[in-house]
Amino acid sequence: MRAARLIKMVLLLQARPTMTATELARELEVSERTVTRDAQALAEAGVPVYADRGRAGGYRLVGGYRTRLTGLARSEAEVLFLSGVPGALREMGLEDAALAARLKVSAALLPSLKDAPSTAAQRFHLDAPGWWQEPKTPELLPAVAEAVWDDRCVRVGYRRPARREAKRATERATEREVERDLEPYGLVLKAGVWYLCARAAEKGGDFRVYRLDRFTAVAAGEARFVRDEGFDLPRFWEARAEEFARTVLRDTVVVRVSPAGAALLPYTTGDRGVVREALERAGEPDEEGRLTLTLPVESQEVAYSQLMSVGPELEVLEPAELRTRFTEAARALRQLYE
């Protein structure tokens, strides 16, 4: 356990010029006192770890020290070959670079691990797009990926979707094209759709998410931007995805569900978190074991199509208009099957 932690500490210091004890403790999930002891152990073992004192101090490796990665375990070698998504790399124009990297790693493996690439590929495969969807690769994805990789500012043309309120007020939603100067921080592939997480190029701009299939033009300039080291792409995406899911749910319905219906709800609504919270807020079940839930929904129309699939395991209580629709649907079904 400690040996793995010491190796990780050396690799962290190789990747960054200087790290404070607080930063190392957070990355290694230990106390700052343990970081101090580990740094001393590395120094005694011949690794030139140097500690700078003072407020701006920290730990660093002296003289550009580099360690060579050797002794990969079988599980580590196999996981290494699972780290890429072949389809995504191909769409971003990085397939050749990924292939070269895999070949170099394969050549460096011990003879007993030469089969690690094939054993991993035969056992696991990631298929990102959802079912019943024909994935379409945005034409401008390679250009955006190159800018992301090179930290280059870009000017993009973007088809801005109409606001949700406008869609409700008019029969047809109109889009308008705008231009944006962006600092492209990272790409995300979600259920077969590519998104760019970027910040407006002007100083102090907010981080936002853009769908790549809405881009009409991409022009990378010569200027490079300086990344905000505090930006964490996975955490940012997780927060934005949750925020988006919440903003979509603008209405509520009250339902009574059986235990079987409660088990079906996460799949029919597509949001397990919302259903879980509704179940946690519910009171005690009635004499039939049914729970009364208040469910956030996108709209009554969406709720009708989603909740109808639960069948007789769910009863709509409110709003009255939606209950009436379910009553009429139940009457029509009875007449049809009789």
Side-chain angles (χ1 to χ4, degrees):
M1 181 70 177
R2 191 190 185 198
R5 189 175 71 241
L6 292 175
I7 292 172
K8 184 176 180 181
M9 184 174 180
V10 173
L11 294 177
L12 285 170
L13 293 175
Q14 267 189 199
R16 308 179 196 178
T18 303
M19 292 186 71
T20 65
T22 302
E23 291 171 336
L24 283 168
R26 183 172 60 250
E27 292 283 353
L28 300 172
E29 299 181 349
V30 296
S31 66
E32 293 184 25
R33 181 173 296 181
T34 299
V35 169
T36 302
R37 289 198 297 264
D38 286 353
Q40 184 177 354
L42 287 171
E44 292 173 354
V47 179
V49 178
Y50 182 78
D52 291 315
R53 306 294 179 183
R55 179 178 297 179
Y59 292 92
R60 60 186 175 86
L61 294 175
V62 179
Y65 175 86
R66 308 288 294 180
T67 184
R68 300 181 67 181
L69 281 175
T70 57
L72 281 175
R74 169 168 292 278
S75 60
E76 295 170 333
E78 290 174 344
V79 169
L80 179 63
F81 285 92
L82 288 174
S83 60
V85 184
L89 293 172
R90 182 172 58 253
E91 292 174 5
M92 289 189 291
L94 300 175
E95 186 178 28
D96 291 342
L99 176 60
R102 287 195 293 270
L103 289 173
K104 289 179 180 179
V105 174
S106 297
L109 291 176
L110 295 172
S112 61
L113 302 179
K114 291 296 185 181
D115 63 338
S118 59
T119 57
Q122 289 167 1
R123 286 165 173 79
F124 301 98
H125 174 68
L126 176 60
D127 185 11
W131 289 104
W132 304 293
Q133 294 180 8
E134 184 65 31
K136 294 182 179 179
T137 303
E139 293 182 6
L140 299 173
L141 174 59
V144 175
E146 185 176 351
V148 169
W149 194 256
D150 209 22
D151 293 342
R152 287 190 181 275
C153 297
V154 294
R155 170 162 287 188
V156 303
Y158 187 74
R159 295 195 310 274
R160 190 172 182 178
R163 291 186 176 275
R164 194 169 288 271
E165 292 80 3
K167 291 182 181 180
R168 291 177 177 176
T170 61
E171 286 294 326
R172 289 181 299 176
T174 57
E175 297 179 334
R176 62 189 182 92
E177 188 171 328
V178 296
E179 281 193 345
R180 293 284 185 268
D181 291 316
L182 302 175
E183 296 176 351
Y185 268 68
L187 288 164
V188 175
L189 177 60
K190 169 70 172 178
V193 180
W194 284 95
Y195 297 88
L196 173 68
C197 301
R199 183 165 65 177
E202 60 265 18
K203 212 166 186 178
D206 295 331
F207 286 101
R208 297 188 179 182
V209 176
Y210 302 85
R211 278 185 62 138
L212 252 70
D213 56 9
R214 293 186 175 276
F215 281 19
T216 58
V218 174
E222 293 298 322
R224 287 183 169 88
F225 63 93
V226 179
R227 283 180 168 266
D228 181 350
E229 293 186 0
F231 178 78
D232 186 309
L233 179 59
R235 290 182 182 177
F236 171 78
W237 176 259
E238 182 180 2
R240 283 304 173 92
E242 184 177 349
E243 178 184 335
F244 172 76
R246 300 292 178 180
T247 57
V248 168
L249 305 177
R250 302 187 174 200
D251 210 340
T252 58
V253 298
V254 180
V255 298
R256 184 185 292 119
V257 291
S258 68
L264 287 172
L265 277 177
Y267 304 99
T268 58
T269 62
D271 195 326
R272 298 189 179 191
V274 168
V275 174
R276 183 179 62 251
E277 291 176 6
L279 289 170
E280 290 172 352
R281 292 194 301 266
E284 293 297 319
D286 60 18
E287 60 276 6
E288 296 179 352
R290 292 180 173 251
L291 291 170
T292 300
L293 308 178
T294 299
L295 278 176
V297 295
E298 184 175 348
S299 65
Q300 289 191 34
E301 190 66 34
V302 172
Y304 176 78
S305 62
Q306 290 178 338
L307 301 180
M308 180 62 73
S309 61
V310 184
E313 304 299 331
L314 177 143
E315 176 189 2
V316 174
L317 303 179
E318 297 177 13
E321 297 87 350
L322 186 59
R323 181 178 175 86
T324 299
R325 286 192 66 181
F326 271 76
T327 302
E328 293 171 350
R331 186 179 295 117
L333 281 171
R334 181 172 181 176
Q335 290 175 355
L336 177 65
Y337 284 97
E338 283 181 343

